[in-house]
Amino acid sequence: MIVVIGGGAAGMFAAIWAARSGAQVCLVEPNPYLGKKLNITGKGRCNLTNATDMEGLLQNTLRNPRFLYSAFAGFSVQDTMDFFENLGVPLKTERGNRVFPESDRARDITDALERELHALGVSVVHSRAEKIMVENGCVCGVKLADRILVCNGVIVATGGLSYPTTGSTGDGYRMAEELGHTIVEPSGSLVPLSSHLTLCQALQGLSLKNVTLTALDENGKTVFSEIGEMLFTHFGVSGPLVLSASAHLPNGKGSLVIDLKPGLTREQLDARILRDFSAAQNRDFGNVLSGLLPRTMIGPILTRIGAASTCKVHSVTRAMREKLVEELKTFTIPALGKRPITEAIVTSGGVSVREVSPKTMGSKLVSGLFFAGEVLDVDGYTGGFNLQIAWSTGYLAGVSAAEYALYKGE
């Protein structure tokens, strides 16, 4: 028998493919229901993968992409889409090649997985795994709070440390470490950033779309730059661009430079401002800017360039206009650090991939032990890449564990 520890995306997928490969499977999950974190991904819509090719997957994997080559080759994006559509979940592709269920309901993904688990006869035990038992270098069982499950194969798919309320408590790290595995220090990846700038609090709730965010590390080196969306919060900034940028700022410190008008060069932007000014010579400076900026940003921008909102357009000097252009192109926010790991979308760090076979997801230290998903030291950008990692590693771990268990004579 194979025991899969963790009923999230990777765990359910591993259990399904182990059962499809002929193994008897028991799935252990401490929560009262499966897929708790999966149900809240993509704001409850579940961005289950990204419609890109192998190169795209590797480029959007932040840590240890080469380790995932065999997993991605064994179970591709197209395989993922075919899998769910064959289970009766129609999919759609949106901006940025993000793939969602047509219904926009993450629950449809979880329900499809649960139906398949049931159809395959996978038993589900709602309990916390306390220890993986080993004899003569081989897995022989899993100790739960109230019993021992005898098995000859274990797949650890317990997730990381992000969203601890969903059950990601680090149990997988502890159990792997007890068996001799090295744990790369976990930290938050794809996490909001804090800033002491009171401006962020003043702009709380403001969402900026189609802006370019450039992240500079503490030495002023550009480590990330991309166009997209971001959000001001009471503690600093968040949103897709900020989450991606955070993965390139190890301690979250540096500065964020926002180009509010990425479609225009400085010269084009200055010409646009001059056109607006020429049509409103006697209006207040602040009112004229309403065509360029969200209303809540006008005051802060004017403060930064040293102009009053009631200043008449005809009295705006060339120097003030140049300052305005510069501010619109390089609106800078200091980043003080990352928010707690509990607020991160995914965990960076985990079981060292040096001790795991990339062709099987099997442990190089303990026979019959396999890993899948976020518990490994792998993670990617937002946009469906982390779930594709879960599906691909879950598939490979499930098939490999079944082959091992059947060879050992279940």
Side-chain angles (χ1 to χ4, degrees), residues 368-391:
L369 177 64
F370 300 82
F371 298 95
E374 199 178 342
V375 72
L376 289 161
D377 182 24
V378 290
D379 59 273
Y381 281 124
T382 56
F385 299 104
N386 288 292
L387 273 178
Q388 184 60 46
I389 290 172
W391 309 134

Side-chain angles (χ1 to χ4, degrees), residues 78-136:
Q78 191 59 54
D79 291 328
T80 297
M81 296 173 71
D82 290 344
F83 175 87
F84 285 105
E85 293 200 317
N86 288 337
L87 290 186
V89 184
L91 305 177
K92 61 180 178 180
T93 303
E94 297 187 357
R95 182 179 54 80
N97 292 325
R98 289 167 165 83
V99 180
F100 295 88
E102 276 188 4
S103 64
D104 285 330
R105 291 183 68 248
R107 187 75 223 187
D108 287 355
I109 297 296
T110 312
D111 287 347
L113 292 169
E114 287 193 77
R115 285 195 303 271
E116 186 66 5
L117 288 167
H118 180 74
L120 291 166
V122 174
S123 60
V124 178
V125 175
H126 292 284
S127 181
R128 185 173 294 280
E130 295 183 349
K131 183 179 181 180
I132 298 169
M133 303 169 69
V134 175
E135 192 173 271
N136 299 322

